[in-house]
Amino acid sequence: MTLFPQLGGPPQAAGGSPVPGCLRLVDRRTETLVEVPASGRGRLLRVGVHLSGDCPPVGPTDLRAMLVGDVLLRAAESGGAQVLHVLLVPPRAPREAQALERLVTAFGVHAPSDISGVDDANAMLGGPADIQLFAAGDGRQSAPEGVWAVVGPVLNGWSQGTGAALREDDSGTVTWGGVEPAAARLALLTHAHSEPFTLTSDRLADAERSLRNWRYKVADWARSPSAPVPEQVRLSARAAFTDDLDTPGALALLRRVEEDSGIPAGAKFEAFAAMDRVLGLELIRDIGTL
């Protein structure tokens, strides 16, 4: 799987051996890291994202599953794969299509090919699913096909009165949990996707500050001459996204790049822009505003 092809040729590990060519995920049936062959260049990757329905219309755990699925398909697409994905909603908790569509748009999630209450990803995808991504609490893990990835539950650590819902004020500003959706997306990507995560108001506020800081710096770096991304940064970024979607590792890499005085500003810009194509945080949004 060739991540960031615009940054250079075929990836090589430090010792000269090729970096694994496919996305690798932990299959939760066997707890082993396995390759997803369909994630290779020119292949069609079929992904079913199963929502739990625990907190209608869309609770934070289901939102986390949607975001993880979005990072997964962005990573696969960056390597040249074609991705077909669907959202599957349990029949016991049918969702309003309009509510899901608003959430998908607000959080920058790639629009699914279909949203259905049918409990059969294969039928919706037109073939066997390569990856079945389940939100925690989804007891319908009966489909034999594909790699099973499971997203851990999001525990409510918010202060009294904070709601897990999209809100729009009179000026048209959309928020979720009191922050812009991209900041909530950042907060939900800071921990390993398979582990439980307690989301608090402080974590949302920290994510919002980090996002504001990064957007300012990216806009500033964009004014410098372009420079190539250091090879080790490129390899580390690829490894983070191909080895079980290590978004915490990818975010830690961005912080190291930000703080490394030895990396030219133009190279920092290129690194942040390339990684954001997978993370989906709109880090280049403020270019041209300084």
Side-chain angles (χ1 to χ4, degrees):
M1 180 181 184
T2 306
L3 279 175
F4 315 130
Q6 74 279 10
L7 300 185
Q12 297 285 316
S17 58
V19 171
C22 296
L23 178 68
R24 300 194 299 169
L25 295 172
V26 173
D27 191 320
R28 291 303 167 184
R29 290 169 298 185
T30 61
E31 295 299 327
T32 58
L33 190 66
V34 299
E35 288 191 352
V36 184
S39 62
R41 178 170 292 278
R43 305 291 295 274
L44 176 62
L45 180 68
R46 292 182 169 91
V47 181
V49 179
H50 301 255
L51 304 186
S52 68
D54 285 345
C55 190
V58 179
T61 299
D62 281 345
L63 173 60
R64 189 186 194 190
M66 291 169 60
L67 296 179
V68 170
D70 187 56
V71 171
L72 186 154
L73 74 88
R74 285 169 179 261
E77 287 180 343
S78 75
Q82 301 179 48
V83 183
L84 181 65
H85 83 294
V86 296
L87 293 180
L88 294 110
V89 183
R92 67 180 181 276
R95 311 297 176 93
E96 297 179 2
Q98 187 176 8
L100 272 175
E101 289 171 1
R102 287 186 67 234
L103 204 71
V104 164
T105 300
F107 278 87
V109 173
H110 282 50
S113 302
D114 204 346
I115 299 174
S116 176
V118 175
D119 191 26
D120 184 353
N122 297 347
M124 301 306 302
L125 291 166
D130 299 295
I131 300 172
Q132 312 249 18
L133 180 66
F134 298 94
D138 188 343
R140 301 172 298 135
Q141 301 174 13
S142 57
E145 293 86 4
V147 178
W148 284 8
V150 177
V151 174
V154 177
L155 309 176
N156 187 354
W158 297 320
S159 59
Q160 188 72 22
T162 302
L166 284 178
R167 303 185 187 279
E168 184 173 351
D169 62 21
D170 294 338
S171 67
T173 300
V174 176
T175 59
W176 188 94
V179 299
E180 71 163 288
R185 178 177 177 123
L186 173 57
L188 289 167
L189 294 178
T190 57
H191 285 64
H193 67 265
S194 60
E195 297 177 357
F197 176 52
T198 300
L199 187 59
T200 65
S201 298
D202 285 345
R203 282 177 167 170
L204 286 169
D206 286 345
E208 189 169 46
R209 283 191 291 270
S210 294
L211 192 62
R212 188 183 308 118
N213 174 59
W214 278 348
R215 284 174 176 168
Y216 176 84
K217 289 189 173 181
V218 167
D220 186 36
W221 296 331
R223 300 187 295 177
S224 299
S226 180
V229 175
E231 181 71 358
Q232 190 53 54
V233 172
R234 193 166 63 87
L235 291 175
S236 296
R238 182 178 291 111
F241 291 126
T242 55
D243 282 352
D244 204 32
L245 294 178
D246 181 15
T247 56
L251 294 170
L253 176 60
L254 286 180
R255 295 186 188 97
R256 292 197 297 274
V257 170
E258 174 191 4
E259 296 167 0
D260 191 337
S261 60
I263 299 178
K268 290 184 178 185
F269 167 77
E270 296 292 349
F272 269 66
M275 292 181 67
D276 192 45
R277 293 188 183 98
V278 181
L279 293 168
L281 301 174
E282 301 181 9
L283 296 181
I284 65 173
R285 192 189 70 177
D286 293 343
I287 290 177
T289 62
L290 298 184

